[in-house]
Amino acid sequence: MTQAMLAEKIDVTTAFITDIEIQKKYPSLRNLEKIADVFGVEPFELIMPEQQALSLEDKKYISMKYASRIRELADEIENELSDLDN
């Protein structure tokens, strides 16, 4: 897959994909999830060093923790927005 194809799939610029690859910029959690979806992997697998092979059990555990943290962050954001409305 080319940078242009990935950029189109996740709705960012090709320059942004290049910047991610050269570690000039870092994707948001939302974009990290989109990239993971494109490649059919869990988001944490994109940021782990390759030499750290994980068992399926470890991957499931990390995926559950990741999903849990995302829910916590979403709740925090929702609460902050609610406070702003009041």
Side-chain angles (χ1 to χ4, degrees):
M1 175 175 304
T2 66
Q3 290 179 340
M5 292 166 67
L6 178 59
E8 184 177 332
K9 287 180 181 280
I10 68 166
D11 197 29
V12 297
T13 65
T14 303
F16 184 69
I17 298 298
T18 299
D19 288 345
I20 291 171
E21 286 189 358
I22 63 173
Q23 297 180 351
K24 185 176 176 184
K25 292 184 180 175
Y26 299 93
S28 65
L29 286 176
R30 184 171 181 83
N31 282 335
L32 188 64
E33 287 181 317
K34 288 179 181 180
I35 294 168
D37 284 344
V38 168
F39 291 107
V41 298
E42 293 295 330
F44 73 87
E45 293 179 276
L46 297 173
I47 57 176
M48 283 191 72
E50 289 181 35
Q51 65 271 21
Q52 291 183 349
L54 294 176
S55 69
L56 181 57
E57 184 177 306
D58 288 340
K59 287 180 180 180
K60 286 179 183 178
Y61 173 77
I62 292 171
S63 293
M64 287 179 5
K65 285 195 65 112
Y66 178 80
S68 174
R69 183 62 183 137
I70 293 295
R71 282 191 294 275
E72 289 173 8
L73 290 170
D75 288 344
E76 289 176 24
I77 291 169
E78 187 175 322
N79 289 337
E80 290 291 326
L81 291 174
S82 178
D83 289 345
L84 290 174
D85 287 340
N86 294 330

